[in-house]
Amino acid sequence: MNKDLLKKMKVLFVEDDDTQRNELNMFLKRRVEKVYTAKNGEEGFEKYKTMKPDIVLTDLRMPKMDGLELVKLIREKNRLIPIIIITAMNDKETILKSVEVGITNYVIKPI
């Protein structure tokens, strides 16, 4: 991917684990224009609506609202935004459910 394009991107990263959220946030901040973080799907959806990111990275298992529900809500507003699931869950059923709700990609933790 073009580094100039990355430098102009706004990323929303939704992760309930503080350590993982902070580590990936620091990694992303060196590569993109802006990183917005959220601790759960509910907070993530609110930030999605107000911050208008270019891409969404989200965990699956989170309090208040899980990643699949977050993806469904975002897809109701925007069918084209790239959404990447980042999770430790790698069973076939979970992956298929993620694809059904419209994710762009699926990454297994640890990254």
Side-chain angles (χ1 to χ4, degrees):
M1 180 174 265
N2 185 327
K3 286 184 180 183
D4 292 333
L5 179 61
L6 278 176
K7 288 285 184 194
K8 296 176 184 175
M9 290 188 79
K10 296 180 288 184
V11 176
L12 172 59
F13 179 44
V14 187
E15 168 65 62
D16 63 320
D17 182 275
D18 292 338
T19 302
Q20 291 184 31
R21 187 176 58 253
N22 291 336
E23 286 179 6
L24 192 55
N25 182 33
M26 288 177 11
F27 175 83
L28 290 169
K29 278 184 170 181
R30 294 189 300 257
R31 290 160 175 80
V32 300
E33 179 181 337
K34 184 70 180 165
V35 180
Y36 307 106
T37 60
K39 297 178 183 178
N40 58 63
E42 191 174 275
E43 182 181 331
F45 188 60
E46 290 306 313
K47 287 194 176 182
Y48 167 78
K49 292 188 296 185
T50 58
M51 304 304 178
K52 306 289 188 221
D54 299 304
I55 187 169
V56 176
L57 309 174
T58 184
D59 190 11
L60 276 181
R61 299 277 166 124
M62 297 179 289
K64 298 190 180 183
M65 180 192 300
D66 70 19
L68 289 179
E69 190 61 33
L70 173 62
V71 174
K72 288 176 190 176
L73 290 174
I74 291 172
R75 285 292 179 235
E76 288 175 6
K77 304 270 183 205
N78 184 336
R79 300 287 312 157
L80 300 177
I81 186 170
I83 302 174
I84 299 172
I85 297 284
I86 301 174
T87 185
M89 300 177 64
N90 62 357
D91 62 281
K92 185 177 178 178
E93 184 179 326
T94 302
I95 294 170
L96 289 174
K97 283 182 183 177
S98 299
V99 170
E100 287 173 8
V101 297
I103 64 160
T104 306
N105 208 336
Y106 192 99
V107 178
I108 305 295
K109 293 179 186 176
I111 298 176

